[in-house]
Amino acid sequence: MNIIEWKQEKINGILSTFDRMIIKGYSLQLSNVSQMGYFLSHNNVLLKDFGEYAENVTNSLCKHIENIAKERNRPYQFIYGNDTDKGTLARQLLEKNPVDDGLICIFSNIEVCSTMNVIKNGETKKLELKWGPRKCKYYYLYYLDKEFGFMHIKIQSWFPFMVQIYINGHEWLKQRLLEEDIKFEMYNNSFSYIEDISKAQEIADKIVNSKISDKFDSMIKDINNFLPIIEETFSRGYYWCLAECEYSTDIIHDSRESIDEYFKSLIENAFYTFKCDDVMSFFGRKLKDTGFQFQGEITSDLRKRNQGFRLKHKMKSNQIKMYDKGYSIRIETTINDPYEFKILKDVEKVVEHKELVTEKKWVPMGKSIANLYRYAEVCKAINMRYINALPIPNEKEIALQKLENISNKKIINNRVYTGFNLFNKDDIRLFNILADAGLLINGFTNKILRSRYFKDEEDCNCNKIRNKTTRLIDKLRKHGIIKKVGSASKYYVTENGRKVINYFMLYQNKEIPNFLKSVN
């Protein structure tokens, strides 16, 4: 039983969709020293004249963008510093000066950018192009778009004119629900009510098939008046990639009170129950039994915010969050480094040193916006693994009774099965192994259990250790902690076993430390 099944009478539906997405647009050729040299040569610009040329191009771009605001009678404002919340300010301007579709306002400020500079080489005494930092003006164009809803585009006014686009999957879905005339209510970027949630999910899934890059191409042509020269030189414009991507699964409740009944206990239990191995398994990775040495940091962080509680788990730069938002409990996966995951792609290889063939192969997933469908598959699977592993809050008296039950011996068919001593180091180690979310979700075999429980033995595959593991599994089954599924020799933790394990982890990681603190 997972949290959705446990609270099904209080849950109106489940909605999975993209949340925040940051898409970056690069002119790849202008970001390459040799290609940039070709561009300048093609357009008859000498290196000694690059500074003046680049400044004229930037001035033209700035004037063009500021004229867009003037021509469309929308506000333009230069903002000093980086402390202003531009999104909030844009929404305020939208309320004061409404628009149904199109530009809301434009902001600009000075920021550090990465760009091409011309420097003198001390050894060759010649001018050369070099990639480096400098300050330039950035423009933020906020829109109320019929396809993406509230969004903004950020553009760098100096070479190579990097673009960053912010869109939100919930805003995109909101626009589609309006088009389909499906009634809904929203609170702070979350849906508190949807008339037909199954239809809404069907619509949400279609974003991966929409050619959103075509829309970006169209919008950027309106903004960057220098783009035609780039396209004429290189026969292509911007390359779009996903810099950051959030995908959320909202468990929508019938009221805020339904969440408040148990959410604090749920998020606290998850914090004390999940270990590094669990976080790895949510991301579809293994920390043990693979010979793979994981290089990176895994952290969990529980915080109480003004809006409520938030629990975050990080594996390197990717993360899973759980928090409450209006009528929903949101499980959200953020992918900053897609190379940690795999995608099935056509890969070319040479056979017998002469024939070039194409084959399907799982390779690290890149940031191309064409991989959006795979982002959705990966994130949705992570969210569901997390939901299925969440420890269901239980009353302490019931949990203590279950711990007491497994501590007592059992007599079945005149055979005695001893209880588990939860202060015994071997039994503690066993329950820590069973608490691994990977085993909870995927089950385990005799081989997997003995490789972990008897890992310090010289030969954990010998008959003696195999028989010991068989007896241990039999004992766990008789106490109702695990069960055998089908004819396969694979075992899963039972619902009763999961409750026992969850409270054991809480008892070990929270209750005893709190008791010791109170004594001291």
Side-chain angles (χ1 to χ4, degrees):
M1 177 186 292
N2 61 27
I3 197 73
I4 298 171
E5 296 164 340
W6 180 58
K7 281 291 182 181
Q8 57 182 336
E9 75 282 354
K10 299 288 185 72
I11 293 173
N12 286 341
I14 314 298
L15 180 68
S16 295
T17 188
F18 286 99
D19 193 43
R20 182 172 60 122
M21 286 189 280
I22 298 177
I23 297 100
K24 286 192 175 181
Y26 297 95
S27 176
L28 297 179
Q29 290 79 9
L30 295 185
S31 302
N32 178 279
V33 172
S34 61
Q35 290 289 307
M36 183 65 179
Y38 169 79
F39 173 84
L40 295 177
S41 175
H42 181 81
N43 290 280
N44 300 314
V45 180
L46 299 176
L47 288 181
K48 67 176 184 176
D49 300 326
F50 174 73
E52 182 181 357
Y53 173 76
E55 190 170 340
N56 289 335
V57 171
T58 293
N59 289 338
S60 173
L61 176 61
C62 293
K63 185 177 180 181
H64 173 72
I65 294 174
E66 291 170 20
N67 279 339
I68 290 175
K70 187 182 296 184
E71 291 168 0
R72 299 175 192 179
N73 195 28
R74 305 307 301 175
Y76 165 71
Q77 181 179 342
F78 180 83
I79 296 176
Y80 293 90
N82 295 308
D83 297 331
T84 304
D85 186 338
K86 299 179 186 66
T88 300
L89 183 57
R91 290 185 184 276
Q92 292 171 353
L93 291 173
L94 179 61
E95 287 183 9
K96 292 178 183 178
N97 192 0
V99 62
D100 293 329
D101 177 38
L103 184 69
I104 298 172
C105 60
I106 300 177
F107 303 130
S108 66
N109 69 347
I110 304 297
E111 298 177 22
V112 176
C113 70
S114 294
T115 184
M116 289 290 179
N117 296 301
V118 174
I119 63 168
K120 186 175 182 180
N121 188 310
E123 294 181 1
T124 64
K125 308 300 180 183
K126 293 182 179 180
L127 297 176
E128 62 182 32
L129 288 165
K130 188 173 182 180
W131 190 256
R134 66 163 290 157
K135 287 186 177 181
C136 78
K137 184 180 281 189
Y138 277 85
Y139 287 90
Y140 293 77
L141 296 90
Y142 282 83
Y143 295 88
L144 190 62
D145 187 74
K146 283 189 176 180
E147 183 172 355
F148 297 113
F150 187 82
M151 62 168 291
H152 78 259
I153 298 176
K154 174 184 177 181
I155 184 169
Q156 174 181 320
S157 66
W158 195 271
F159 281 92
F161 313 110
M162 186 276 295
V163 172
Q164 182 171 290
I165 298 178
Y166 174 103
I167 61 174
N168 191 290
H170 287 90
E171 282 284 327
W172 182 90
L173 180 56
K174 171 186 172 182
Q175 299 302 116
R176 305 290 80 72
L177 294 180
L178 288 171
E179 290 173 0
E180 295 285 339
D181 198 26
I182 297 175
K183 295 178 182 178
F184 65 90
E185 294 176 8
M186 290 192 78
Y187 168 79
N188 191 19
N189 193 42
S190 67
F191 291 95
S192 54
Y193 165 77
I194 300 178
E195 182 181 36
D196 187 344
I197 200 160
S198 60
K199 179 66 175 176
Q201 184 62 67
E202 183 182 323
I203 295 170
D205 293 337
K206 291 180 180 178
I207 190 172
V208 299
N209 299 319
S210 61
K211 294 184 177 180
I212 59 177
S213 58
D214 291 348
K215 174 75 172 183
F216 299 154
D217 288 335
S218 174
M219 296 182 81
I220 203 61
K221 281 181 179 178
D222 180 51
I223 298 169
N224 188 348
N225 64 338
F226 192 67
L227 186 57
I229 297 176
I230 299 173
E231 292 178 331
E232 186 274 329
T233 305
F234 297 114
S235 301
R236 70 160 299 160
Y238 281 93
Y239 172 78
W240 302 105
C241 66
L242 288 158
E244 186 175 317
C245 180
E246 294 178 345
Y247 190 92
S248 65
T249 297
D250 285 359
I251 306 173
I252 306 172
H253 290 63
D254 57 6
S255 68
R256 178 65 212 185
E257 290 72 26
S258 296
I259 295 176
D260 292 338
E261 285 175 3
Y262 72 95
F263 185 66
K264 184 176 182 294
S265 296
L266 175 70
I267 203 165
E268 190 178 56
N269 288 2
F271 177 70
Y272 285 108
T273 300
F274 292 147
K275 310 186 300 299
C276 292
D277 302 48
D278 303 325
V279 178
M280 291 286 287
S281 69
F282 301 144
F283 285 106
R285 301 284 293 278
K286 293 180 180 179
L287 191 62
K288 301 175 180 177
D289 306 326
T290 62
F292 169 70
Q293 296 298 317
F294 175 74
Q295 299 292 324
E297 186 178 40
I298 300 173
T299 61
S300 293
D301 175 41
L302 174 62
R303 292 188 183 182
K304 187 179 187 306
R305 312 163 300 156
N306 292 332
Q307 305 96 317
F309 290 92
R310 188 269 292 148
L311 176 60
K312 178 167 67 176
H313 312 277
K314 289 185 68 176
M315 186 189 77
K316 296 185 179 179
S317 59
N318 300 318
Q319 61 187 31
I320 313 166
K321 290 187 289 187
M322 177 170 65
Y323 55 96
D324 53 323
K325 198 174 184 76
Y327 280 29
S328 298
I329 291 176
R330 176 168 290 179
I331 313 299
E332 183 176 84
T333 295
T334 303
I335 294 182
N336 295 309
D337 181 9
Y339 300 100
E340 290 289 327
F341 308 100
K342 296 293 182 72
I343 185 171
L344 189 63
K345 298 189 75 171
D346 290 326
V347 178
E348 292 183 341
K349 71 174 185 177
V350 178
V351 178
E352 295 180 354
H353 306 288
K354 56 182 179 179
E355 186 181 358
L356 187 66
V357 299
T358 302
E359 65 176 4
K360 293 284 187 182
K361 190 175 181 181
W362 287 99
V363 297
M365 182 168 68
K367 292 189 174 186
S368 170
I369 201 166
N371 295 338
L372 191 64
Y373 77 95
R374 182 59 181 160
Y375 273 75
E377 290 175 351
V378 168
C379 292
K380 192 170 187 177
I382 292 171
N383 290 351
M384 291 313 300
R385 288 190 201 109
Y386 192 87
I387 289 171
N388 289 330
L390 278 172
I392 297 173
N394 294 290
E395 293 295 331
K396 287 187 177 181
E397 291 77 9
I398 297 173
L400 284 171
Q401 181 63 49
K402 291 184 180 295
L403 289 182
E404 185 179 341
N405 288 340
I406 67 165
S407 299
N408 298 325
K409 67 180 180 181
K410 282 186 176 290
I411 302 175
I412 301 175
N413 296 329
N414 296 320
R415 183 174 175 181
V416 177
Y417 295 88
T418 59
F420 292 95
N421 181 356
L422 299 184
F423 289 95
N424 177 277
K425 65 178 182 179
D426 291 332
D427 286 349
I428 290 173
R429 184 157 52 88
L430 174 62
F431 276 83
N432 273 286
I433 291 170
L434 294 176
D436 185 333
L439 300 189
L440 290 173
I441 296 167
N442 302 316
F444 61 93
T445 61
N446 184 299
K447 181 179 179 181
I448 291 174
L449 183 59
R450 70 174 181 267
S451 68
R452 296 192 181 191
Y453 189 72
F454 296 105
K455 64 179 181 179
D456 296 329
E457 298 288 335
E458 290 185 7
D459 182 9
C460 66
N461 290 318
C462 67
N463 288 334
K464 179 181 177 182
I465 299 301
R466 189 180 287 108
N467 292 335
K468 276 187 176 182
T469 308
T470 300
R471 290 193 293 272
L472 185 60
I473 288 173
D474 193 33
K475 179 178 172 181
L476 287 166
R477 291 180 67 186
K478 292 303 187 289
H479 280 276
I481 295 171
I482 64 172
K483 62 183 178 181
K484 187 177 180 182
V485 176
S487 58
S489 297
K490 198 167 188 179
Y491 304 91
Y492 288 83
V493 175
T494 63
E495 182 181 336
N496 175 67
R498 182 173 290 198
K499 291 176 182 177
V500 169
I501 291 168
N502 285 341
Y503 194 72
F504 167 72
M505 297 300 294
L506 286 174
Y507 186 71
Q508 181 186 39
N509 297 324
K510 178 187 174 186
E511 302 296 341
I512 292 179
N514 286 346
F515 172 74
L516 293 176
K517 282 181 183 179
S518 66
V519 172
N520 294 333

PDB file of all heavy atoms in Angstrom, residues 457-476:
ATOM      1  N   GLU A 457      31.937 -12.302   4.991  1.00  0.00           N
ATOM      2  CA  GLU A 457      32.403 -13.683   4.952  1.00  0.00           C
ATOM      3  C   GLU A 457      33.359 -13.885   3.777  1.00  0.00           C
ATOM      4  O   GLU A 457      33.276 -13.191   2.757  1.00  0.00           O
ATOM      5  CB  GLU A 457      31.217 -14.646   4.809  1.00  0.00           C
ATOM      6  CG  GLU A 457      30.229 -14.596   5.969  1.00  0.00           C
ATOM      7  CD  GLU A 457      30.799 -15.217   7.238  1.00  0.00           C
ATOM      8  OE1 GLU A 457      31.700 -16.070   7.122  1.00  0.00           O
ATOM      9  OE2 GLU A 457      30.340 -14.826   8.323  1.00  0.00           O
ATOM     10  N   GLU A 458      34.275 -14.873   3.916  1.00  0.00           N
ATOM     11  CA  GLU A 458      35.249 -15.125   2.855  1.00  0.00           C
ATOM     12  C   GLU A 458      34.567 -15.568   1.567  1.00  0.00           C
ATOM     13  O   GLU A 458      34.923 -15.141   0.470  1.00  0.00           O
ATOM     14  CB  GLU A 458      36.257 -16.201   3.299  1.00  0.00           C
ATOM     15  CG  GLU A 458      37.214 -15.722   4.381  1.00  0.00           C
ATOM     16  CD  GLU A 458      38.256 -16.776   4.706  1.00  0.00           C
ATOM     17  OE1 GLU A 458      38.307 -17.810   3.996  1.00  0.00           O
ATOM     18  OE2 GLU A 458      39.013 -16.566   5.656  1.00  0.00           O
ATOM     19  N   ASP A 459      33.564 -16.431   1.683  1.00  0.00           N
ATOM     20  CA  ASP A 459      32.839 -16.908   0.511  1.00  0.00           C
ATOM     21  C   ASP A 459      31.347 -16.925   0.833  1.00  0.00           C
ATOM     22  O   ASP A 459      30.833 -17.870   1.431  1.00  0.00           O
ATOM     23  CB  ASP A 459      33.316 -18.303   0.117  1.00  0.00           C
ATOM     24  CG  ASP A 459      32.611 -18.829  -1.141  1.00  0.00           C
ATOM     25  OD1 ASP A 459      31.888 -18.031  -1.772  1.00  0.00           O
ATOM     26  OD2 ASP A 459      32.779 -20.013  -1.468  1.00  0.00           O
ATOM     27  N   CYS A 460      30.667 -15.843   0.442  1.00  0.00           N
ATOM     28  CA  CYS A 460      29.243 -15.750   0.774  1.00  0.00           C
ATOM     29  C   CYS A 460      28.382 -16.604  -0.155  1.00  0.00           C
ATOM     30  O   CYS A 460      27.161 -16.650   0.002  1.00  0.00           O
ATOM     31  CB  CYS A 460      28.774 -14.294   0.741  1.00  0.00           C
ATOM     32  SG  CYS A 460      28.826 -13.529  -0.886  1.00  0.00           S
ATOM     33  N   ASN A 461      29.004 -17.270  -1.141  1.00  0.00           N
ATOM     34  CA  ASN A 461      28.252 -18.127  -2.066  1.00  0.00           C
ATOM     35  C   ASN A 461      28.378 -19.617  -1.742  1.00  0.00           C
ATOM     36  O   ASN A 461      27.859 -20.456  -2.469  1.00  0.00           O
ATOM     37  CB  ASN A 461      28.723 -17.884  -3.502  1.00  0.00           C
ATOM     38  CG  ASN A 461      28.307 -16.516  -4.013  1.00  0.00           C
ATOM     39  OD1 ASN A 461      27.184 -16.090  -3.782  1.00  0.00           O
ATOM     40  ND2 ASN A 461      29.216 -15.834  -4.694  1.00  0.00           N
ATOM     41  N   CYS A 462      29.080 -19.940  -0.649  1.00  0.00           N
ATOM     42  CA  CYS A 462      29.224 -21.349  -0.288  1.00  0.00           C
ATOM     43  C   CYS A 462      27.897 -21.904   0.238  1.00  0.00           C
ATOM     44  O   CYS A 462      27.001 -21.147   0.622  1.00  0.00           O
ATOM     45  CB  CYS A 462      30.331 -21.524   0.749  1.00  0.00           C
ATOM     46  SG  CYS A 462      29.952 -20.804   2.356  1.00  0.00           S
ATOM     47  N   ASN A 463      27.778 -23.214   0.275  1.00  0.00           N
ATOM     48  CA  ASN A 463      26.520 -23.850   0.690  1.00  0.00           C
ATOM     49  C   ASN A 463      26.136 -23.484   2.114  1.00  0.00           C
ATOM     50  O   ASN A 463      24.944 -23.317   2.431  1.00  0.00           O
ATOM     51  CB  ASN A 463      26.636 -25.370   0.563  1.00  0.00           C
ATOM     52  CG  ASN A 463      26.623 -25.818  -0.895  1.00  0.00           C
ATOM     53  OD1 ASN A 463      26.075 -25.119  -1.745  1.00  0.00           O
ATOM     54  ND2 ASN A 463      27.229 -26.958  -1.185  1.00  0.00           N
ATOM     55  N   LYS A 464      27.121 -23.355   2.998  1.00  0.00           N
ATOM     56  CA  LYS A 464      26.835 -23.032   4.392  1.00  0.00           C
ATOM     57  C   LYS A 464      26.136 -21.680   4.502  1.00  0.00           C
ATOM     58  O   LYS A 464      25.118 -21.537   5.200  1.00  0.00           O
ATOM     59  CB  LYS A 464      28.140 -23.024   5.193  1.00  0.00           C
ATOM     60  CG  LYS A 464      27.956 -22.685   6.661  1.00  0.00           C
ATOM     61  CD  LYS A 464      29.302 -22.672   7.392  1.00  0.00           C
ATOM     62  CE  LYS A 464      29.122 -22.267   8.851  1.00  0.00           C
ATOM     63  NZ  LYS A 464      30.430 -22.207   9.556  1.00  0.00           N
ATOM     64  N   ILE A 465      26.657 -20.667   3.813  1.00  0.00           N
ATOM     65  CA  ILE A 465      26.070 -19.321   3.864  1.00  0.00           C
ATOM     66  C   ILE A 465      24.739 -19.294   3.130  1.00  0.00           C
ATOM     67  O   ILE A 465      23.777 -18.650   3.575  1.00  0.00           O
ATOM     68  CB  ILE A 465      27.039 -18.288   3.250  1.00  0.00           C
ATOM     69  CG1 ILE A 465      28.363 -18.256   4.034  1.00  0.00           C
ATOM     70  CG2 ILE A 465      26.414 -16.900   3.238  1.00  0.00           C
ATOM     71  CD1 ILE A 465      28.209 -17.911   5.500  1.00  0.00           C
ATOM     72  N   ARG A 466      24.652 -20.055   2.037  1.00  0.00           N
ATOM     73  CA  ARG A 466      23.388 -20.112   1.293  1.00  0.00           C
ATOM     74  C   ARG A 466      22.282 -20.702   2.161  1.00  0.00           C
ATOM     75  O   ARG A 466      21.145 -20.205   2.175  1.00  0.00           O
ATOM     76  CB  ARG A 466      23.590 -20.942   0.014  1.00  0.00           C
ATOM     77  CG  ARG A 466      22.390 -20.884  -0.928  1.00  0.00           C
ATOM     78  CD  ARG A 466      22.602 -21.721  -2.185  1.00  0.00           C
ATOM     79  NE  ARG A 466      23.567 -21.084  -3.087  1.00  0.00           N
ATOM     80  CZ  ARG A 466      24.789 -21.532  -3.288  1.00  0.00           C
ATOM     81  NH1 ARG A 466      25.222 -22.630  -2.657  1.00  0.00           N
ATOM     82  NH2 ARG A 466      25.604 -20.922  -4.128  1.00  0.00           N
ATOM     83  N   ASN A 467      22.600 -21.736   2.923  1.00  0.00           N
ATOM     84  CA  ASN A 467      21.609 -22.368   3.801  1.00  0.00           C
ATOM     85  C   ASN A 467      21.237 -21.447   4.968  1.00  0.00           C
ATOM     86  O   ASN A 467      20.079 -21.403   5.386  1.00  0.00           O
ATOM     87  CB  ASN A 467      22.136 -23.696   4.324  1.00  0.00           C
ATOM     88  CG  ASN A 467      22.264 -24.738   3.219  1.00  0.00           C
ATOM     89  OD1 ASN A 467      21.568 -24.658   2.202  1.00  0.00           O
ATOM     90  ND2 ASN A 467      23.152 -25.715   3.406  1.00  0.00           N
ATOM     91  N   LYS A 468      22.237 -20.731   5.493  1.00  0.00           N
ATOM     92  CA  LYS A 468      21.947 -19.769   6.564  1.00  0.00           C
ATOM     93  C   LYS A 468      20.960 -18.704   6.078  1.00  0.00           C
ATOM     94  O   LYS A 468      20.032 -18.310   6.794  1.00  0.00           O
ATOM     95  CB  LYS A 468      23.241 -19.089   7.026  1.00  0.00           C
ATOM     96  CG  LYS A 468      24.043 -19.868   8.047  1.00  0.00           C
ATOM     97  CD  LYS A 468      25.200 -18.997   8.547  1.00  0.00           C
ATOM     98  CE  LYS A 468      25.991 -19.704   9.643  1.00  0.00           C
ATOM     99  NZ  LYS A 468      27.080 -18.849  10.172  1.00  0.00           N
ATOM    100  N   THR A 469      21.175 -18.230   4.841  1.00  0.00           N
ATOM    101  CA  THR A 469      20.295 -17.206   4.265  1.00  0.00           C
ATOM    102  C   THR A 469      18.893 -17.758   4.057  1.00  0.00           C
ATOM    103  O   THR A 469      17.900 -17.064   4.303  1.00  0.00           O
ATOM    104  CB  THR A 469      20.866 -16.702   2.930  1.00  0.00           C
ATOM    105  OG1 THR A 469      22.233 -16.308   3.112  1.00  0.00           O
ATOM    106  CG2 THR A 469      20.080 -15.509   2.413  1.00  0.00           C
ATOM    107  N   THR A 470      18.812 -19.019   3.635  1.00  0.00           N
ATOM    108  CA  THR A 470      17.503 -19.658   3.442  1.00  0.00           C
ATOM    109  C   THR A 470      16.731 -19.705   4.758  1.00  0.00           C
ATOM    110  O   THR A 470      15.528 -19.417   4.802  1.00  0.00           O
ATOM    111  CB  THR A 470      17.677 -21.084   2.891  1.00  0.00           C
ATOM    112  OG1 THR A 470      18.350 -21.014   1.630  1.00  0.00           O
ATOM    113  CG2 THR A 470      16.332 -21.766   2.705  1.00  0.00           C
ATOM    114  N   ARG A 471      17.428 -20.068   5.841  1.00  0.00           N
ATOM    115  CA  ARG A 471      16.767 -20.123   7.165  1.00  0.00           C
ATOM    116  C   ARG A 471      16.355 -18.718   7.622  1.00  0.00           C
ATOM    117  O   ARG A 471      15.293 -18.544   8.235  1.00  0.00           O
ATOM    118  CB  ARG A 471      17.703 -20.778   8.183  1.00  0.00           C
ATOM    119  CG  ARG A 471      17.904 -22.279   7.951  1.00  0.00           C
ATOM    120  CD  ARG A 471      18.576 -22.952   9.139  1.00  0.00           C
ATOM    121  NE  ARG A 471      19.951 -22.513   9.321  1.00  0.00           N
ATOM    122  CZ  ARG A 471      21.004 -23.059   8.739  1.00  0.00           C
ATOM    123  NH1 ARG A 471      20.842 -24.081   7.909  1.00  0.00           N
ATOM    124  NH2 ARG A 471      22.224 -22.608   8.978  1.00  0.00           N
ATOM    125  N   LEU A 472      17.191 -17.723   7.322  1.00  0.00           N
ATOM    126  CA  LEU A 472      16.869 -16.339   7.692  1.00  0.00           C
ATOM    127  C   LEU A 472      15.636 -15.849   6.938  1.00  0.00           C
ATOM    128  O   LEU A 472      14.741 -15.216   7.513  1.00  0.00           O
ATOM    129  CB  LEU A 472      18.075 -15.440   7.394  1.00  0.00           C
ATOM    130  CG  LEU A 472      17.976 -13.978   7.832  1.00  0.00           C
ATOM    131  CD1 LEU A 472      17.778 -13.875   9.332  1.00  0.00           C
ATOM    132  CD2 LEU A 472      19.234 -13.210   7.417  1.00  0.00           C
ATOM    133  N   ILE A 473      15.566 -16.177   5.653  1.00  0.00           N
ATOM    134  CA  ILE A 473      14.400 -15.798   4.839  1.00  0.00           C
ATOM    135  C   ILE A 473      13.138 -16.488   5.368  1.00  0.00           C
ATOM    136  O   ILE A 473      12.064 -15.875   5.456  1.00  0.00           O
ATOM    137  CB  ILE A 473      14.654 -16.151   3.354  1.00  0.00           C
ATOM    138  CG1 ILE A 473      15.682 -15.192   2.758  1.00  0.00           C
ATOM    139  CG2 ILE A 473      13.348 -16.121   2.553  1.00  0.00           C
ATOM    140  CD1 ILE A 473      16.117 -15.553   1.350  1.00  0.00           C
ATOM    141  N   ASP A 474      13.275 -17.759   5.734  1.00  0.00           N
ATOM    142  CA  ASP A 474      12.136 -18.504   6.271  1.00  0.00           C
ATOM    143  C   ASP A 474      11.631 -17.863   7.568  1.00  0.00           C
ATOM    144  O   ASP A 474      10.423 -17.734   7.789  1.00  0.00           O
ATOM    145  CB  ASP A 474      12.551 -19.955   6.520  1.00  0.00           C
ATOM    146  CG  ASP A 474      11.348 -20.850   6.768  1.00  0.00           C
ATOM    147  OD1 ASP A 474      10.272 -20.584   6.180  1.00  0.00           O
ATOM    148  OD2 ASP A 474      11.460 -21.799   7.554  1.00  0.00           O
ATOM    149  N   LYS A 475      12.555 -17.426   8.394  1.00  0.00           N
ATOM    150  CA  LYS A 475      12.196 -16.763   9.653  1.00  0.00           C
ATOM    151  C   LYS A 475      11.465 -15.447   9.383  1.00  0.00           C
ATOM    152  O   LYS A 475      10.451 -15.137  10.028  1.00  0.00           O
ATOM    153  CB  LYS A 475      13.464 -16.517  10.468  1.00  0.00           C
ATOM    154  CG  LYS A 475      13.241 -15.816  11.804  1.00  0.00           C
ATOM    155  CD  LYS A 475      14.574 -15.664  12.534  1.00  0.00           C
ATOM    156  CE  LYS A 475      14.437 -14.814  13.781  1.00  0.00           C
ATOM    157  NZ  LYS A 475      15.729 -14.648  14.490  1.00  0.00           N
ATOM    158  N   LEU A 476      11.960 -14.676   8.421  1.00  0.00           N
ATOM    159  CA  LEU A 476      11.304 -13.412   8.062  1.00  0.00           C
ATOM    160  C   LEU A 476       9.900 -13.664   7.524  1.00  0.00           C
ATOM    161  O   LEU A 476       8.961 -12.913   7.823  1.00  0.00           O
ATOM    162  CB  LEU A 476      12.136 -12.677   7.004  1.00  0.00           C
ATOM    163  CG  LEU A 476      13.453 -12.034   7.487  1.00  0.00           C
ATOM    164  CD1 LEU A 476      14.318 -11.645   6.300  1.00  0.00           C
ATOM    165  CD2 LEU A 476      13.169 -10.816   8.364  1.00  0.00           C
TER     166      LEU A 476
END
